[in-house]
């Protein structure tokens, strides 16, 4: 298009609820289909209200907050498990000392049993869950949050382009 001119527009608009089958594909647009469906300034009454779109888009913030809360709780759980694992190791060290209740065992015996049961051992922490799966969840969750926020921004921007939107 030379000069960037717009040749026509397409709207999804309400139709007159009193006209039965007014926009049925086979019937075409019957008389009165859009009667009363235009504002005083001649603009169409859109089927989708921009204010309603913006209101719904803002609800994405609630969803994102829930997703962030879940991730925070999982991170806290991992920290708690790590602390408990260190405490377990310290208790077992004390219990295998000379004269303690498990003194016939060595710390190497305990280490072998814990290593057998643990999914992973790193820096004095026996992990009994799969930390890679937690990391994969965190990455996926953060990516999904970014996508939701981008979608929200696009949705609100598109709704605000409409002159009736606030």
């Amino acid at each position: 298009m030379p000069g960037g001119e717009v040749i026509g527009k397409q709207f999804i608009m309400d139709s007159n609820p009193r006209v039965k089958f007014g926009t049925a594909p086979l019937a075409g647009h019957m008389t009165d289909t859009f009667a009363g469906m235009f504002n005083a300034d001649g603009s169409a009454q859109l089927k989708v209200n921009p204010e309603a779109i913006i209101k719904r888009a803002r609800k994405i913030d609630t969803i994102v907050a829930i997703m962030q809360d879940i991730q925070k709780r999982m991170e806290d759980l991992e920290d708690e498990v790590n602390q408990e694992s260190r405490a377990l190791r310290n208790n077992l060290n004390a219990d295998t000392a000379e004269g303690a209740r498990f003194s016939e065992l060595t710390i190497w015996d305990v280490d072998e049993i814990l290593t057998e049961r643990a999914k992973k051992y790193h820096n004095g922490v026996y992990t009994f869950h799969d930390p890679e799966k937690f990391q994969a969840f965190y990455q996926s969750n953060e990516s999904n949050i970014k996508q939701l926020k981008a979608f929200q921004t696009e949705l609100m921007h598109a709704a605000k382009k409409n002159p009736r939107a606030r």
Side-chain angles (χ1 to χ4, degrees):
M1 278 184 270
E5 301 147 15
V6 176
I7 305 175
K9 292 183 180 180
Q10 184 175 2
F11 296 99
I12 298 175
M13 30 182 315
D14 269 337
S15 60
N16 188 338
R18 294 181 301 271
V19 177
K20 197 169 188 175
F21 307 114
T23 56
L26 297 175
H29 295 293
M30 302 172 89
T31 312
D32 297 331
T33 300
F34 296 105
M37 296 293 109
F38 290 88
N39 298 313
D41 65 357
S43 63
Q45 291 181 11
L46 300 178
K47 188 163 188 82
V48 179
N49 181 330
E51 291 86 8
I53 291 172
I54 291 170
K55 186 177 178 182
R56 291 237 183 228
R58 286 190 176 122
K59 289 185 178 190
I60 291 174
D61 289 331
T62 304
I63 295 166
V64 166
I66 291 168
M67 293 170 74
Q68 290 170 330
D69 184 54
I70 289 169
Q71 181 158 334
K72 175 74 172 104
R73 288 176 184 219
M74 288 178 65
E75 289 168 348
D76 290 347
L77 174 66
E78 275 197 300
D79 288 344
E80 186 179 332
V81 166
N82 290 345
Q83 289 172 9
E84 291 293 327
S85 175
R86 284 187 189 98
L88 172 67
R89 177 61 189 239
N90 291 337
N91 291 340
L92 289 172
N93 280 346
D95 285 344
T96 57
E98 190 173 325
R101 64 182 180 159
F102 300 125
S103 61
E104 57 279 353
L105 296 175
T106 68
I107 193 60
W108 305 115
D109 295 327
V110 172
D111 190 47
E112 185 179 328
I113 292 168
L114 289 175
T115 303
E116 224 174 73
R117 302 273 187 253
K119 296 277 185 188
K120 186 175 181 178
Y121 174 79
H122 183 67
N123 291 337
V125 175
Y126 294 93
T127 308
F128 299 96
H129 63 278
D130 189 342
E132 283 80 22
K133 287 185 180 179
F134 273 65
Q135 287 306 315
F137 168 78
Y138 298 148
Q139 289 171 348
S140 173
N141 193 49
E142 289 166 9
S143 173
N144 290 334
I145 287 171
K146 284 180 187 173
Q147 288 176 357
L148 275 172
K149 294 298 282 179
F151 174 68
Q152 178 189 44
T153 300
E154 287 178 35
L155 195 57
M156 291 175 79
H157 180 70
K160 288 177 182 178
K161 277 186 173 181
N162 184 294
R164 288 185 14 196
R166 289 184 211 166

